[in-house]
Amino acid sequence: MTVSSCIFSNSTMELNDGNLQTLTEFMRKTLDPDPSVRRPAEKFLESVEGNQNYPILLLTLLEKSQDNVIRVCAAVTFKNYIKRNWRIIEDEPNKISDPDRTTIKANIVNLMLSSPEQIQKQLSDAISIIGREDFPLKWPDLLTEMVTRFQSGDFHIINGVLRTAHSLFKRYRHEFKSNELWLEIKLVLDTFANPLTELFKATIELCQTHATDINALKILFSSLTLISKLFYSLNFQDLPEFFEDNMETWMSNFHNLLTLDNKLLQTDDEEEAGLLELLKSQICDNAALYAQKYDEEFQPYLPRFVTAIWNLLVSTGQEVKYDLLVSNAIQFLASVCERPHYKHLFEDQNTLTSICEKVIVPNMEFRSADEEAFEDNSEEYIRRDLEGSDIDTRRRAACDLVRGLCKFFEGPVTAIFSGYVNSMLGEYAKNPRMNWKHKDAAIYLVTSLASKAQTAKHGITQANELVNLTEFFVNHILTDLKSPNVNEFPVLKSDAIKYVMIFRSQLPKEQLLQAVPLLVAHLQAESTVEHTYAAHALERLFTMRGPNNSTLITPVEMAPFTEQLLNNLFKALALPGSSENEYIMKAIMRSFSLLQEAIVPYIPTLIGQLTHKLLLVSKNPSKPHFNHYLFESLCLSIRITCKANPATVGSFEEALFPVFTEILQNDVQEFVPYVFQVMSLLLEIHTSSIPNSYMALFPHLLQPVLWERTGNIPPLVRLLQAYLEKGAATIASSAADKIPGLLGVFQKLIASKANDHQGFYLMNSIIEHMPTESIVQYRKQIFILLFQRLQSSKTTKFIKSFMVFINLYGVKYGAIALQEIFDSIQPKMFGMVLEKIVIPEVQKVSGPVEKKICAVGITKILTECPAMMDTEYTKLWTPLLQALIGLFELPEDDSIPDDEHFIDIEDTPGYQTAFSQLAFAGKKEHDPIGEAVNNPKLLLAQSLHKLSTACPGRVPSMLSTSLNAEALQYLQGYLQAASVQLV
């Protein structure tokens, strides 16, 4: 390591062989499976990535290295580097030097086009990340540079351009409409639409010329697929004039390609879609887009597309390789059949019967490929079946077509299908062991037809009349759930569990309660899908709301099954394939949350299991949801147990601190923010002084490197606030040398528009809790820093926080101290702050505690600060009182200047782990004034009364001359309520 450190010690890395060699060695180590070799190498690369020329060295490696593995590794590293660092974030240092940015943009397109495909893909992604930020304004020649390559005739180059254009333009499919977007798309169309159309025509001609040359066809068809994808992106937002004028060229060629069948392009592989299938799938998508969005313009072409796609569906086999094509083709029919003016195409009873028989039912069958996925690739199966992932399945498309047809033809479609359901169930009854797939298809038909409206939160909320859901549950679902062998017919068991989950809002409560112990038993099933569904169903049932907004299923009703439930959930984590199963972990979290104190007796055993699991996953965190629910479950265990008995906090610390220490020492980035939140929760529970174990960690929390990661900031600030709340005296006496470090953190946060509010949270805790003498020497410097920030960039958020801070300062140290510290920085500064900030802006303060702090602070300024009564500040007295009455009585001013509207607090750059708030580590709203003042209006009345008795006559005369009538009326009300008067 020493050699490399000297080479890279300065902030520019020379472009020489020595550095390339060193970089190669470290790249190789990052591929090592042994974490003790891999981690230091990754850390080293991270430590040098801020140096100038680093990205240029990576590009040199991926172009010139003799070792192909290193070239690919350099390409991936480069892409991730761009993803993390290219975006320039306000308030944060530019992580890539300007010369490097210029060099990258000047060379990357050429490099991408001349690289082998594996590297080309990575560089193409990098170009689209850069383009997302810099195109078109900072990279105006990108498109022209790409379009000119269409002339090269070399399809390796052309496909590189098309792939890059695709990754650059595909965001048009999901961007919100805006002027900038329109202008960018217009620019792209002006430069790109015509060359793309010419390329499309030329490529189709080449396909005819080379119709017998398989290698040429493969390249040409991959070009056609990319061209079709670009067509989709460029037409998504609106129908461009150019494409409307050239619709004949595009649509007639699309139609020909749909009906084309070239024997050479047919593949033997049953799994992987071939080029022909991929192209036709995209064309179905394009046709569906036009049918949905531009139906008037597309009308002349629609009938021939319906015919072509119908023929395609009827003639395509059941193999997996056709799945995408079939589901896109069905989706096309689904989007057409629900448009009113295509209704006539489907009205005939024979057409409907034919669609149901030839398209819907065959594509709902459970195929051997589905069975394989169910057994061997359960994660993918669950993602498709439960989460409705983007991978379109035939079954999902068939469901969508059923729903589309029901829009106009619900009666006839329901009649056709109830016949199917009955005959399928009849087949199953004849021979359950052989014919179980018939029952699976019947249940699938019921769930797809019955679910008219579905939400993630409530399951099905509207149902069709195909079957009586409750009767169907009793006759066909309960029997499967009750069968004593949970491992028999796992697919049907999973269907039954899914039925309960989907129709949970339709089924009566007693049936759900009947299902609960059965679902608990299924947590022990060997099939991953089955025990995952059982966990998911329980978790969903536990979130259902009853009549009075409490949970539908109560802890008392769960009492007979509590032990079994917790046992089986934790045992399920030990089943093969489920050691990091997020559904099980979420069910554990939800069970804890539902059962509350009923879990206390089990916690001593369970906390050990949770801690052990945490130790294992922290070695290599790969499942973010699982990890999140694991930390939530830890928080719930702590909260529930310590609520019953706060003294148990120590036993949690004993269990958790060794693992936390390891996570912090190994800098497991994903877990560090979570650890800080759990530690805050633990520390906030302590009632007396701060334990030594926490004090030992305190200096480490102030290390600048921790504060560089955006995701650490909110939890770290909260943890430091807990330290200040519980141990300010200890810090002042035994860690006084760390106070400058604490203020250094404040200084860093206050400089950032995104995190300044966090800086104020920290400073408010320092003011509230630290002994006065320990911070007296720093007070002036704190105010100077705040004024510097006010001068450089004054945002609404900053001003609101600033006002709360100065008023808290006044409440804590008195109004005189506040006035003196301002005026010691610059004469008359106090008056300027009141006049320019407090009086005009106090209406913007939001939140009950914040408003209370400001009200008490301003009351003190009005009534306990002599300078307000007999200096030039006196002219501000009435306007300030008027502003305070406004704070009490007027609606909050939540207007934000236009230029600030888009400052996003949580806008974290690229790849960094953003902050994930743990719901069950939540912190109670803290009121620094507390019971001392319950009603600030009464405090104002009493304080004014006291002031007026000290200088009789002054207050009424100031009020009568310049306070407006409405405010005066409110004030009279406060005085009456407080039973006092002014003299």
Side-chain angles (χ1 to χ4, degrees):
M1 189 77 174
T2 46
V3 185
S4 49
S5 335
C6 1
I7 298 178
F8 293 149
S9 58
N10 59 353
S11 58
T12 302
M13 296 159 74
E14 298 300 321
L15 292 170
N16 58 33
D17 291 347
N19 278 351
L20 286 169
Q21 189 51 44
T22 308
L23 215 48
T24 305
E25 283 164 26
F26 278 101
M27 288 267 164
R28 195 163 277 118
K29 285 180 183 165
T30 62
L31 302 171
D32 197 301
D34 177 359
S36 65
V37 177
R38 187 179 72 247
R39 280 246 167 90
E42 289 168 346
K43 284 265 178 282
F44 171 73
L45 289 179
E46 207 180 303
S47 71
V48 296
E49 72 171 28
N51 296 348
Q52 194 174 332
N53 284 340
Y54 171 75
I56 315 304
L57 281 164
L58 286 178
L59 289 176
T60 313
L61 267 189
L62 71 83
E63 183 183 16
K64 302 201 165 138
S65 171
Q66 300 303 304
D67 180 339
N68 207 34
V69 174
I70 294 296
R71 292 182 69 188
V72 174
C73 181
V76 174
T77 307
F78 177 79
K79 179 193 74 180
N80 288 334
Y81 164 84
I82 294 293
K83 195 172 174 181
R84 276 197 304 273
N85 300 315
W86 192 272
R87 179 187 255 187
I88 297 175
I89 292 170
E90 196 180 6
D91 297 333
E92 293 193 16
N94 176 355
K95 299 194 186 107
I96 303 179
S97 71
D98 289 335
D100 281 357
R101 287 174 184 269
T102 311
T103 310
I104 289 169
K105 285 192 285 197
N107 294 296
I108 190 167
V109 174
N110 266 335
L111 199 52
M112 181 269 298
L113 296 174
S114 59
S115 298
E117 190 161 338
Q118 234 181 334
I119 293 173
Q120 192 177 68
K121 282 191 168 128
Q122 299 297 332
L123 291 177
S124 168
D125 284 350
I127 292 173
S128 70
I129 296 164
I130 297 172
R132 181 85 185 78
E133 300 299 321
D134 288 18
F135 174 78
L137 295 177
K138 294 186 197 165
W139 201 358
D141 50 354
L142 170 64
L143 269 196
T144 36
E145 191 181 351
M146 283 174 24
V147 166
T148 51
R149 307 305 167 93
F150 284 165
Q151 309 306 320
S152 68
D154 176 342
F155 271 84
H156 174 71
I157 290 179
I158 290 172
N159 281 356
V161 171
L162 292 171
R163 198 175 291 117
T164 307
H166 171 52
S167 58
L168 205 54
F169 303 153
K170 68 175 176 220
R171 68 186 180 86
Y172 301 157
R173 302 174 179 195
H174 42 75
E175 290 268 318
F176 286 117
K177 291 181 163 47
S178 72
N179 268 342
E180 291 84 89
L181 185 68
W182 290 118
L183 288 170
E184 183 180 323
I185 294 177
K186 185 182 181 315
L187 178 93
V188 169
L189 290 165
D190 292 347
T191 319
F192 209 80
N194 190 41
L196 186 72
T197 308
E198 293 307 315
L199 179 68
F200 181 50
K201 294 195 294 202
T203 310
I204 284 175
E205 277 175 27
L206 285 169
C207 288
Q208 286 152 358
T209 319
H210 297 284
T212 53
D213 176 352
I214 177 67
N215 292 328
L217 283 179
K218 278 182 178 169
I219 294 171
L220 293 168
F221 268 77
S222 55
S223 307
L224 286 172
T225 305
L226 284 163
I227 291 170
S228 304
K229 287 182 173 179
L230 284 163
F231 176 89
Y232 189 87
S233 299
L234 294 175
N235 282 274
F236 190 87
Q237 288 280 343
D238 203 1
L239 177 57
E241 198 179 327
F242 178 88
F243 285 105
E244 191 176 346
D245 296 344
N246 288 274
M247 200 181 293
E248 176 58 39
T249 303
W250 284 94
M251 289 304 158
S252 52
N253 279 314
F254 279 159
H255 180 260
N256 294 341
L257 289 169
L258 265 185
T259 49
L260 174 89
D261 188 19
N262 188 316
K263 294 284 176 278
L264 288 177
L265 286 169
Q266 289 177 355
T267 54
D268 298 332
D269 188 332
E270 293 202 351
E271 300 281 321
E272 198 68 37
L275 288 164
L276 206 52
E277 288 81 51
L278 290 173
L279 175 60
K280 289 182 177 183
S281 307
Q282 186 56 50
I283 292 173
C284 289
D285 259 357
N286 295 354
L289 176 77
Y290 266 56
Q292 266 174 319
K293 286 191 149 192
Y294 317 123
D295 40 12
E296 216 171 286
E297 295 84 352
F298 187 56
Q299 217 148 2
Y301 302 93
L302 183 89
R304 61 176 117 153
F305 273 92
V306 170
T307 310
I309 287 173
W310 172 258
N311 291 335
L312 195 70
L313 278 170
V314 181
S315 61
T316 302
Q318 283 281 8
E319 292 85 352
V320 175
K321 67 174 173 183
Y322 300 123
D323 284 4
L324 181 67
L325 173 58
V326 168
S327 72
N328 281 3
I330 296 177
Q331 290 290 5
F332 167 78
L333 288 181
S335 61
V336 172
C337 74
E338 58 180 27
R339 312 289 293 182
H341 50 272
Y342 300 143
K343 195 168 120 181
H344 62 278
L345 294 171
F346 299 89
E347 262 164 346
D348 183 17
Q349 180 72 28
N350 295 336
T351 309
L352 284 175
T353 308
S354 175
I355 289 178
C356 294
E357 190 180 311
K358 295 188 172 146
V359 176
I360 293 171
V361 172
N363 284 304
M364 282 199 174
E365 280 170 16
F366 194 78
R367 300 167 301 166
S368 50
D370 299 315
E371 202 171 348
E372 272 171 39
F374 182 93
E375 287 165 10
D376 306 330
N377 193 357
S378 48
E379 218 168 296
E380 185 55 39
Y381 182 90
I382 291 164
R383 223 183 18 246
R384 286 189 208 175
D385 191 45
L386 263 195
E387 299 169 24
S389 77
D390 299 340
I391 303 162
D392 294 308
T393 58
R394 293 175 179 237
R395 280 188 145 184
R396 163 133 328 101
C399 276
D400 288 346
L401 180 53
V402 170
R403 288 193 195 127
L405 289 169
C406 282
K407 188 166 173 183
F408 295 120
F409 315 107
E410 186 166 0
V413 170
T414 303
I416 294 167
F417 279 130
S418 59
Y420 273 113
V421 169
N422 292 331
S423 74
M424 285 169 178
L425 289 170
E427 285 299 310
Y428 167 74
K430 285 180 200 164
N431 185 345
R433 190 155 293 285
M434 290 299 295
N435 296 346
W436 63 266
K437 286 185 181 178
H438 289 281
K439 181 169 183 180
D440 168 81
I443 298 176
Y444 201 86
L445 260 175
V446 169
T447 44
S448 61
L449 242 178
S451 50
K452 278 181 164 177
Q454 184 167 7
T455 68
K457 194 171 175 190
H458 303 293
I460 300 299
T461 51
Q462 259 187 308
N464 161 294
E465 297 305 306
L466 175 68
V467 294
N468 176 317
L469 294 173
T470 311
E471 277 174 26
F472 193 86
F473 174 77
V474 173
N475 298 335
H476 303 289
I477 299 294
L478 211 47
T479 43
D480 285 334
L481 288 178
K482 279 184 167 168
S483 89
N485 180 355
V486 293
N487 293 318
E488 193 182 28
F489 299 130
V491 175
L492 289 184
K493 297 268 199 313
S494 302
D495 289 340
I497 296 169
K498 191 177 166 196
Y499 184 95
V500 174
M501 186 170 63
I502 287 186
F503 294 116
R504 60 186 182 274
S505 294
Q506 248 66 38
L507 296 169
K509 179 173 173 177
E510 55 274 19
Q511 291 192 344
L512 297 179
L513 283 173
Q514 208 180 350
V516 167
L518 304 172
L519 293 171
V520 170
H522 282 83
L523 290 168
Q524 292 195 286
E526 286 161 16
S527 151
T528 306
V529 175
E530 191 182 331
H531 64 243
T532 301
Y533 280 22
H536 187 47
L538 285 164
E539 190 271 328
R540 294 285 79 196
L541 293 181
F542 292 167
T543 53
M544 292 178 73
R545 294 264 166 229
N548 53 357
N549 212 26
S550 59
T551 52
L552 179 72
I553 296 174
T554 65
V556 175
E557 288 163 331
M558 283 304 296
F561 327 119
T562 296
E563 188 161 339
Q564 199 59 47
L565 168 72
L566 295 172
N567 267 337
N568 287 6
L569 280 169
F570 277 87
K571 275 192 203 154
L573 285 177
L575 291 166
S578 277
S579 64
E580 292 182 39
N581 185 321
E582 66 183 70
Y583 291 98
I584 298 174
M585 201 68 235
K586 193 176 188 184
I588 290 174
M589 171 190 85
R590 199 69 71 194
S591 305
F592 283 8
S593 175
L594 171 77
L595 297 167
Q596 291 294 325
E597 54 274 15
I599 67 168
V600 173
Y602 306 101
I603 287 296
T605 326
L606 299 181
I607 196 74
Q609 298 187 41
L610 288 170
T611 319
H612 179 63
K613 182 59 80 180
L614 177 58
L615 190 61
L616 292 177
V617 294
S618 69
K619 303 273 185 261
N620 185 17
S622 55
K623 296 275 176 67
H625 288 104
F626 176 86
N627 300 334
H628 188 89
Y629 300 134
L630 171 57
F631 276 103
E632 292 281 21
S633 303
L634 285 169
C635 290
L636 278 161
S637 329
I638 295 167
R639 241 172 213 266
I640 294 166
T641 313
C642 294
K643 185 178 168 189
N645 177 5
T648 49
V649 67
S651 52
F652 283 105
E653 288 164 350
E654 272 169 43
L656 290 166
F657 273 25
V659 192
F660 285 179
T661 309
E662 194 161 320
I663 290 170
L664 294 173
Q665 280 173 347
N666 293 332
D667 189 23
V668 184
Q669 291 192 17
E670 298 87 332
F671 283 6
V672 169
Y674 288 131
V675 168
F676 291 149
Q677 289 178 78
V678 181
M679 286 183 65
S680 302
L681 180 64
L682 289 164
L683 183 50
E684 285 158 9
I685 292 167
H686 279 276
T687 44
S688 55
S689 64
I690 194 163
N692 290 336
S693 48
Y694 287 89
M695 282 314 294
L697 183 68
F698 183 64
H700 302 286
L701 301 179
L702 305 174
Q703 288 173 349
V705 57
L706 276 180
W707 294 88
E708 272 161 23
R709 286 188 217 133
T710 326
N712 286 348
I713 290 174
L716 256 180
V717 167
R718 175 181 169 191
L719 181 55
L720 288 179
Q721 285 184 285
Y723 269 87
L724 289 160
E725 186 191 332
K726 301 293 176 185
T730 317
I731 293 171
S733 58
S734 63
D737 57 330
K738 297 292 172 278
I739 296 174
L742 201 54
L743 296 171
V745 169
F746 161 74
Q747 183 170 0
K748 178 180 166 55
L749 294 174
I750 217 78
S752 144
K753 280 187 193 165
N755 297 313
D756 49 17
H757 61 299
Q758 296 285 351
F760 278 112
Y761 292 160
L762 182 60
M763 184 43 69
N764 292 348
S765 289
I766 292 174
I767 294 295
E768 185 186 349
H769 299 294
M770 285 298 278
T772 312
E773 65 284 359
S774 64
I775 57 163
V776 72
Q777 69 204 65
Y778 306 110
R779 287 199 274 190
K780 191 167 175 180
Q781 190 50 43
I782 291 167
F783 277 86
I784 291 172
L785 285 172
L786 293 175
F787 279 117
Q788 285 168 344
R789 167 62 209 272
L790 265 176
Q791 283 166 333
S792 64
S793 72
K794 187 172 92 168
T795 64
T796 306
K797 177 160 74 89
F798 184 85
I799 283 180
K800 283 160 71 168
S801 300
F802 176 72
M803 266 190 290
V804 174
F805 164 72
I806 59 176
N807 282 301
L808 182 67
Y809 188 94
V811 172
K812 173 83 192 225
Y813 297 120
I816 299 177
L818 184 67
Q819 176 246 318
E820 285 175 349
I821 198 160
F822 277 132
D823 288 347
S824 72
I825 294 171
Q826 189 185 318
K828 300 184 187 166
M829 172 76 97
F830 182 57
M832 279 163 24
V833 170
L834 291 179
E835 189 177 359
K836 299 279 192 292
I837 296 175
V838 179
I839 293 168
E841 304 279 9
V842 73
Q843 209 55 47
K844 291 205 163 101
V845 174
S846 52
V849 174
E850 288 81 354
K851 285 185 166 175
K852 181 173 172 182
I853 292 169
C854 289
V856 177
I858 292 173
T859 299
K860 281 184 171 296
I861 294 171
L862 286 167
T863 62
E864 294 176 18
C865 177
M868 288 300 289
M869 297 301 284
D870 47 21
T871 65
E872 65 224 65
Y873 294 158
T874 312
K875 66 175 189 295
L876 299 171
W877 193 89
T878 321
L880 184 61
L881 176 62
Q882 175 111 13
L884 174 55
I885 295 170
L887 178 66
F888 288 144
E889 305 299 346
L890 295 173
E892 182 189 315
D893 169 12
D894 54 7
S895 64
I896 290 180
D898 289 348
D899 56 334
E900 282 178 40
H901 188 60
F902 296 103
I903 297 175
D904 194 348
I905 297 176
E906 287 301 341
D907 197 4
T908 48
Y911 184 69
Q912 280 195 1
T913 343
F915 167 56
S916 296
Q917 173 84 52
L918 290 169
F920 294 111
K923 179 182 176 185
K924 286 202 293 289
E925 172 88 277
H926 169 66
D927 177 357
I929 295 169
E931 296 299 307
V933 178
N934 282 325
N935 184 341
K937 296 179 184 177
L938 295 185
L939 176 76
L940 173 64
Q942 288 152 353
S943 306
L944 285 173
H945 167 70
K946 198 169 153 193
L947 176 69
S948 77
T949 50
C951 37
R954 285 287 306 275
V955 178
S957 78
M958 285 158 83
L959 294 179
S960 59
T961 51
S962 45
L963 192 67
N964 81 23
E966 201 181 352
L968 196 54
Q969 205 175 344
Y970 280 122
L971 184 59
Q972 298 296 351
Y974 309 157
L975 292 163
Q976 266 168 347
S979 315
V980 294
Q981 43 192 308
L982 304 178
V983 291

